[in-house]
Structure formats: structure tokens, C-alpha cells
Amino acid sequence: MNRTEGLVQRRNVSRETSGNQSKEIQGNDDLIKDEETDDGDSKETRLTLMEEVLLLGLKDKEGYTSFWNDCISSGLRGCILIELSLRGRVELERAGMRRKSLLNRKVIVKNDSPTGDVLLDEALKHMKDTEPPETVQCWIEYLSGETWNPLKLRYQLKNVRERLAKNLVEKGVLTTEKQNFLLFDMTTHPLTDNVAKSRLVKKVQEAVLSKWVNDPQRMDKRILSLLLLAHASDVLENAFAPLNDDDYELAMKRVRELVDLDLEAESARSSSPTDLHWAVFASFAK
């Protein structure tokens, strides 16, 4: 996760500030908390981690991600693993007496009840049906279809970006259009709900500015995951581009601090030794 290119080009505009307070609300699953959701946020616009990362990567008017972005596919699979962990469905096996490294520890299914999200449930079924269990890095590769093992190709989650975009269409955040690219037509999903996108961008900006917590252990897991997986997916620049110069430099400095964390050490000092998100971060830091 030493990749910082793609976080250089930006435009200079004044940072907008808002006095609106955010409060924590409960999602459909009792194990999920989104402490950045505004009072007026409806049930339909509560976004999963995958949807947030995709929304940051989508061009507002064009309705598609950059053709040059080859990181977002694996980044979204990492989001799926963390979302399953946040919902209490999977966990990382314990390190044991010999302190297994994060990338050598297996993903364990601890609750196979449906989440209500088709992508999550599809991934969860694959993990439940697999013996012996696999590591986080293996699952990211399997779910992305990036494996040389033909027996594992059946684990690939297909059309993930399109399926997530359709979820956002159903939630009223995006719309669906057809766009002609000379040789072919492509389905695009331009932004329709500017409030939802603005709220997401504001949440990301505040996480590394006004609400910065100088200790990853004290950061909300969902926010920490959003920052690091948006970075791994090469879409974090889109949230920082509107900032003024000083805030941009400060935000980038703090993101680099997170990217350069000693993940094994953070996992060892974590209050919950089976937290899976450190292993997901480690899989992108290699």
C-alpha cells in the first residue's frame, strides 16, 4: 500500500464547511453502526463499504470509473470481507502461541445467516462451503477471479461494479443511462443524489481533518476501513481534490501515516485479536 501516485493532481478551491452535526444510527443489521450519518439520512441511502468506495470512484456526470483504474476490483473484494466482519459473519482465526502473521491466518465463518445483501451472501456461502478455510489474501484473489487454480474460478464474484451501481440506483443515488463510445455502447450510472455523494466526501474529509484521531485503535473501524480501502482502490484522491492547499497536504500526511502503519503491531495491540480488517489492510500493503 505504498502507492501514492494518483493522489497528486488536484484542483484548488476553497473548502466548504458545515455546521451540521452527525449522529450514530442503527442499520438493518444490529452489528453495523455508521456514526457519520445525518439525521435526515433515510434507510435507502445508508451505504455499504463497497458502495461508498465505488461512489468515490465514479465520475459524477459520466457515471463510470476511470478506465485506467486497475485497483478498484480487488479493493471492492476487500470491502466485502470487511463488511462481512462488521456484520459479525466472519472473523480471523486467532494468532495462537506462535503468533501467526496476519496473512497466514484463516478466515472463519462464525455466523452464516443471510445479511440481506446479495453480494455479501454470495461471498459468505463460498466461505462457508470451503474446507479447509482460506486466508484473506486468497479470498480477495478468488473473489476477483485472479487465481491460476481453475478449481477456484467458481468463487469469482462477477459484475461487482455493475451490481453495486444498481444497488445505488435502487437507493436513489445514481441513475442508469446508455452511452455510445464509437465502437460499443456502455451502461453508465451518473450521479442523481448530490447530497449523498457530498455527505460521503464530507465524512472522508472530516475523518482526516476536524475529526482526526491520532490513534488507529480509537478510530471507528468502518471509517478506518473506508480510508485505507479507498486508498487501495485508488479513489481517495477524488474526496480530497476539493480541499484547499493546506487541508489537502494535512489530509495526505495523515493518510500516509495510516498507510505506513505496522499492521502486525496494530493487530497485536487490538482489543479484539480476531479483527479481520488488519489482515485485509495487510493484503494490500505487500
Side-chain angles (χ1 to χ4, degrees), residues 178-191:
K178 288 283 187 182
Q179 189 164 341
N180 181 268
F181 287 88
L182 296 179
L183 298 178
F184 62 94
D185 290 333
M186 186 175 82
T187 301
T188 61
H189 300 281
L191 182 70

Side-chain angles (χ1 to χ4, degrees), residues 10 204-205 208 227 236-243 248 251-252 255:
R10 56 184 300 276
V204 172
Q205 293 174 354
V208 291
L227 290 171
L236 195 56
E237 152 69 11
N238 298 340
F240 292 160
L243 295 172
Y248 179 85
M252 287 307 310
V255 168

